[in-house]
């Protein structure tokens, strides 16, 4: 039964409450999730997770079925194609590489030698489309956290030359392990991770500075996951096809924590002491004395082509200004288990729920008056391979990013029913988060910060390429904490999340008739309300002063002031 004290997002719009499509009586005819229909959301997730879609892996027959289904749904809603050449899709060229588990790397320390074996003491991958990566006697340079952040008055590099060298980093931010009184304490948000703490940022800096390889020292607290998670991809990597000006570092990966300590000790250095030094603003890079690294690593390369699906409603007054909703259509496809049985990793919630939400929002917009601004509805490919479809779009946008008012990304919604709370990911980044708090308040709910900001969820979904391009973003990810459910409170929400996490990226992320989709519909309705307001306005959401993405947006301020 739907509690009567929840306020409606759009007063006067009647809707029934649904649990996986079964109608229940409710006391308030204007629901907190109108005009979103939980039954339709459930139906979309059921379809996308069904056998014919084969787990929706890019470059497989399951992709073709997925693309056709999404396009058909957008046509039925009455949207316009928003892709290339007047079509519904955007081509995304991909490369798939794999380094064999037998690969090894040798570190020569004077006359001594240390060998590091793939998946044991070291984990390597590459984004270079080449059949072999060779490194001969390259010096190793410890560069602390590898952060160059003028906005935080921090520079770990101090002009050090990394050309032809191997960069060795610590994971997370310089203040992650800071003690009270340390000069760095709080400079990067404390335990809350910034983009500077992400392994992707560190590899990017190594590439920009000419390193031939980049290795991150693994520690479980800083990474937020154990060594088994690091090695789980088995040497595989995916990337978009990049032009010559944007080459990745040739060899990248991690070195296991104890193996790193042994390596530093043999070089006469204390890794523990260097960790402490790296928390000081006067830290300078340290070359490991008398240490050289060599590797000859065979690589298997495969070229794929995948597609984003893009639909839109063209704005009546400001067609060059865009409000964007997006989710990723891909999951992990089929595999064969140890018993030789075919297993489909269906991705019903991750991210069938996001696709279902985007479709419902599109339907709601189409049912109303034509928006002033263009509203775009994107289904991204290859998120599970590294945010690749959205990254390709950000590099090849179908609408000007400088005039994209907001990107709303939906990635994993909860299926446990209405809740008292909703989660803000990366609190303090931009004004869209304040808008979201206001929207959920009208539903009788409270917006709360994610439970574990040190895990850096804000940097792990398809909104990130847009944030890096300066577009204000709002990600919704219900894995970010425990829902305070109307039925069962936080204990029931904790149980739902724990149960879901056992199925995360597994075959059991499958559609269920037992789901209560109303909680997912509440979040979807809140996003619709925010985007609806933006689409009928000339408001430009703003990054907050502490955000690392604010300066990027400010460079294009003049374009948004044009009329």
């Amino acid at each position: 039964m739907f509690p009567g004290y929840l306020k409606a997002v759009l007063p006067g719009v009647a809707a029934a409450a649904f649990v996986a499509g079964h109608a229940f009586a409710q006391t308030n005819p204007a629901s907190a999730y109108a005009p979103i229909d939980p039954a339709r959301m459930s139906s979309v997730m059921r379809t996308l997770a069904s056998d014919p879609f084969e787990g929706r892996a890019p470059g497989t027959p399951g992709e073709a079925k997925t693309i056709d289904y999404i396009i058909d749904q957008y046509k039925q809603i009455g949207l316009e194609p928003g892709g290339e050449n007047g079509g519904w899709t955007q081509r995304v060229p991909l490369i798939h590489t794999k380094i064999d588990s037998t690969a090894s790397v040798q570190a020569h320390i004077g006359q001594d030698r240390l060998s590091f074996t793939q998946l044991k003491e070291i984990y390597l991958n590459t984004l270079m489309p080449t059949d072999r990566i060779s490194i001969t006697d390259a010096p190793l340079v410890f560069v602390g956290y590898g952060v160059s952040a003028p906005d935080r008055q921090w520079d770990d590099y101090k002009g050090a030359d990394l050309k032809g060298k191997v960069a060795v980093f610590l994971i997370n931010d310089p203040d992650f392990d800071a003690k009270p009184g340390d000069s760095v304490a709080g400079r990067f948000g404390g335990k809350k991770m910034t983009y500077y703490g992400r392994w992707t940022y560190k590899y990017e800096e190594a590439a920009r500075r000419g390193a031939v390889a980049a290795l991150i020292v693994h520690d479980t607290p800083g990474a937020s996951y154990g060594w088994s998670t690091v090695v789980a991809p088995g040497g595989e990597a995916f990337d978009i096809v990049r032009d010559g000006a944007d080459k990745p570092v040739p060899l990248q990966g991690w070195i296991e924590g104890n193996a790193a300590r042994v390596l530093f000790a043999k070089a006469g250095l204390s890794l523990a002491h260097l960790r402490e030094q790296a928390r000081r603003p006067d830290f300078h890079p340290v070359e490991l004395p008398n240490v050289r690294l060599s590797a000859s690593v065979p690589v298997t390369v495969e070229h794929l082509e995948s597609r984003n699906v893009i639909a839109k409603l063209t704005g009546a007054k400001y067609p060059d200004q865009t409000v964007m909703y997006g989710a990723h259509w891909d999951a992990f496809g089929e595999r064969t288990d140890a018993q030789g049985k075919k297993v489909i990793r269906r991705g019903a919630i991750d991210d069938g729920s996001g696709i279902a939400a985007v479709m419902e929002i599109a339907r709601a917009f189409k049912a109303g008056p034509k928006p002033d601004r263009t509203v775009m509805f994107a289904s991204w490919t290859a998120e599970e391979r590294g945010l690749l479809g959205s990254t390709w779009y950000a590099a090849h946008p179908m609408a000007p990013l400088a005039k994209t008012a907001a990107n709303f990304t939906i990635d994993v919604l909860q299926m446990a029913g209405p809740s008292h709370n909703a989660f803000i990911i990366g609190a303090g980044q931009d004004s869209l988060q304040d808008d979201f708090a206001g929207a959920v308040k009208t539903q009788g709910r409270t917006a709360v910060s994610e439970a574990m900001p040190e895990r850096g969820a804000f940097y792990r979904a398809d909104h990130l390429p847009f944030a890096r391009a300066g577009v204000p973003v709002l990600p919704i990810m219900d894995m970010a904490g425990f829902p305070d459910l109307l039925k069962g409170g936080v204990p029931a929400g904790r149980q739902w999340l724990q149960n879901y996490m056992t199925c995360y990226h597994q075959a059991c992320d499958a559609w269920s008739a037992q789901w209560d989709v109303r909680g997912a519909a509440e979040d979807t309705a809140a996003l619709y309300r925010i985007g609806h307001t933006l689409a009928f306005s000339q408001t430009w959401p703003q990054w907050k002063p502490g955000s690392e993405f604010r300066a990027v947006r400010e460079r294009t301020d003049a374009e948004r002031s044009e009329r």
Side-chain angles (χ1 to χ4, degrees):
M1 196 167 190
F2 198 81
Y5 65 84
L6 288 177
K7 299 177 181 177
V9 171
L10 294 177
V13 180
F18 286 85
V19 178
H22 300 289
F24 282 75
Q26 62 182 50
T27 58
N28 186 352
S31 80
Y33 49 79
I36 304 305
D37 185 340
R40 277 197 301 257
M41 290 183 66
S42 182
S43 177
V44 170
M45 289 182 277
R46 183 178 188 176
T47 299
L48 289 172
S50 63
D51 284 356
F53 289 77
E54 302 178 355
R56 310 193 308 275
T60 69
E63 166 169 351
K65 293 183 177 70
T66 303
I67 299 299
D68 289 346
Y69 173 75
I70 294 172
I71 292 174
D72 182 64
Q73 292 296 301
Y74 284 159
K75 287 179 177 179
Q76 289 185 38
I77 293 169
L79 303 179
E80 308 160 41
E84 295 171 320
N85 303 314
W88 293 95
T89 63
Q90 180 185 39
R91 172 182 170 271
V92 182
L94 303 174
I95 61 167
H96 170 213
T97 64
K98 182 174 175 60
I99 289 177
D100 193 85
S101 60
T102 60
S104 65
V105 173
Q106 291 77 43
H108 298 270
I109 306 115
Q111 299 302 311
D112 200 0
R113 186 180 76 170
L114 279 178
S115 291
F116 303 102
T117 302
Q118 173 80 331
L119 309 184
K120 294 181 180 179
E121 299 90 5
I122 204 166
Y123 178 75
L124 303 172
N125 64 47
T126 184
L127 302 179
M128 296 286 285
T130 183
D131 60 3
R132 182 171 294 273
I133 304 292
S134 296
I135 298 172
T136 304
D137 293 335
L140 279 74
V141 182
F142 175 70
V143 287
Y145 289 88
V147 173
S148 175
D151 57 313
R152 316 275 172 137
Q153 294 79 53
W154 195 270
D155 177 23
D156 282 329
Y157 293 95
K158 307 294 193 303
D161 180 13
L162 292 183
K163 292 178 181 176
K165 299 177 182 179
V166 178
V168 182
F169 305 97
L170 299 174
I171 191 60
N172 219 298
D173 294 314
D175 64 351
F176 180 75
D177 288 320
K179 298 177 176 59
D182 284 357
S183 59
V184 71
R187 193 176 298 200
F188 291 84
K191 291 296 183 184
K192 183 176 76 172
M193 184 185 287
T194 69
Y195 185 58
Y196 301 116
R198 289 284 289 144
W199 50 267
T200 49
Y201 166 80
K202 299 175 193 296
Y203 295 154
E204 290 160 4
E205 278 297 317
R208 280 190 283 267
R209 295 168 187 273
V212 295
L215 295 174
I216 298 171
V217 177
H218 177 262
D219 72 84
T220 296
S224 82
Y225 41 77
W227 184 248
S228 62
T229 299
V230 171
V231 303
E236 285 189 302
F238 289 80
D239 197 16
I240 58 174
V241 174
R242 300 178 184 271
D243 59 31
D246 189 24
K247 287 187 177 180
V249 63
L251 195 63
Q252 61 188 37
W254 299 70
I255 181 168
E256 191 272 330
N258 188 59
R261 286 189 289 273
V262 170
L263 172 64
F264 277 68
K266 285 187 173 292
L269 300 171
S270 165
L271 181 56
H273 178 63
L274 288 173
R275 280 183 182 276
E276 293 181 4
Q277 287 189 327
R279 297 198 293 268
R280 296 172 52 92
D282 59 355
F283 167 82
H284 280 72
V286 177
E287 184 167 320
L288 275 64
N290 209 25
V291 178
R292 295 292 184 270
L293 185 136
S294 295
S296 182
V297 178
V299 183
T300 302
V301 181
E302 178 186 13
H303 292 268
L304 305 172
E305 184 170 297
S306 191
R307 289 177 290 171
N308 294 324
V309 186
I310 304 172
K312 65 181 179 180
L313 290 171
T314 300
K317 293 183 179 179
Y318 314 109
D320 63 334
Q321 300 178 16
T322 305
V323 175
M324 173 184 281
Y325 291 92
H328 70 89
W329 61 254
D330 68 305
F332 281 94
E334 296 181 340
R335 66 177 175 85
T336 302
D337 65 15
Q339 289 71 45
K341 181 182 177 182
K342 183 177 72 174
V343 174
I344 301 175
R345 290 182 284 180
R346 301 173 183 276
I349 294 177
D350 184 13
D351 191 26
S353 64
I355 296 296
V358 171
M359 287 181 180
E360 275 299 286
I361 292 169
R363 194 182 304 274
F365 269 101
K366 181 60 180 176
K370 193 170 187 179
D372 293 346
R373 287 168 156 165
T374 295
V375 184
M376 185 173 286
F377 308 96
S379 300
W380 308 119
T381 183
E383 187 273 352
E384 301 291 8
R385 272 67 177 177
L387 318 182
L388 299 183
S390 54
T391 296
W392 180 265
Y393 178 94
H396 306 84
M398 305 302 298
L401 295 182
K403 292 188 177 182
T404 298
N407 169 277
F408 299 100
T409 289
I410 310 163
D411 198 343
V412 177
L413 297 174
Q414 60 93 351
M415 300 294 148
S419 67
H420 294 293
N421 60 357
F423 299 106
I424 291 178
I425 313 300
Q429 282 282 0
D430 62 35
S431 62
L432 290 172
Q433 297 170 339
D434 302 327
D435 297 335
F436 182 67
V440 301
K441 186 176 181 180
T442 69
Q443 297 173 312
R445 301 197 293 158
T446 302
V448 298
S449 295
E450 62 187 302
M452 294 163 282
E454 68 274 12
R455 294 188 175 182
F458 188 82
Y459 309 99
R460 299 185 180 189
D462 278 318
H463 62 283
L464 180 61
F466 296 92
R468 294 182 61 195
V471 177
V473 297
L474 181 67
I476 299 300
M477 304 165 70
D478 284 346
M479 296 163 56
F482 303 130
D484 182 4
L485 300 175
L486 270 62
K487 185 178 180 180
V490 172
R494 179 183 292 109
Q495 188 63 56
W496 175 82
L497 184 59
Q498 290 172 347
N499 290 344
Y500 173 67
M501 290 308 296
T502 65
C503 290
Y504 182 56
H505 292 175
Q506 304 302 316
C508 54
D509 182 3
W511 179 86
S512 171
Q514 304 306 310
W515 284 348
D516 185 343
V517 188
R518 292 176 295 168
E522 286 179 331
D523 285 350
T524 304
L527 288 186
Y528 168 65
R529 177 169 185 160
I530 302 167
H532 189 273
T533 299
L534 278 179
F536 286 88
S537 78
Q538 277 284 271
T539 301
W540 295 103
Q542 299 294 317
W543 291 100
K544 294 191 174 180
S547 173
E548 59 267 48
F549 305 110
R550 180 183 174 95
V552 181
R553 188 64 161 181
E554 288 176 341
R555 293 174 200 150
T556 60
D557 281 349
E559 295 182 54
R560 286 181 296 282
S561 65
E562 297 172 357
R563 290 292 184 270

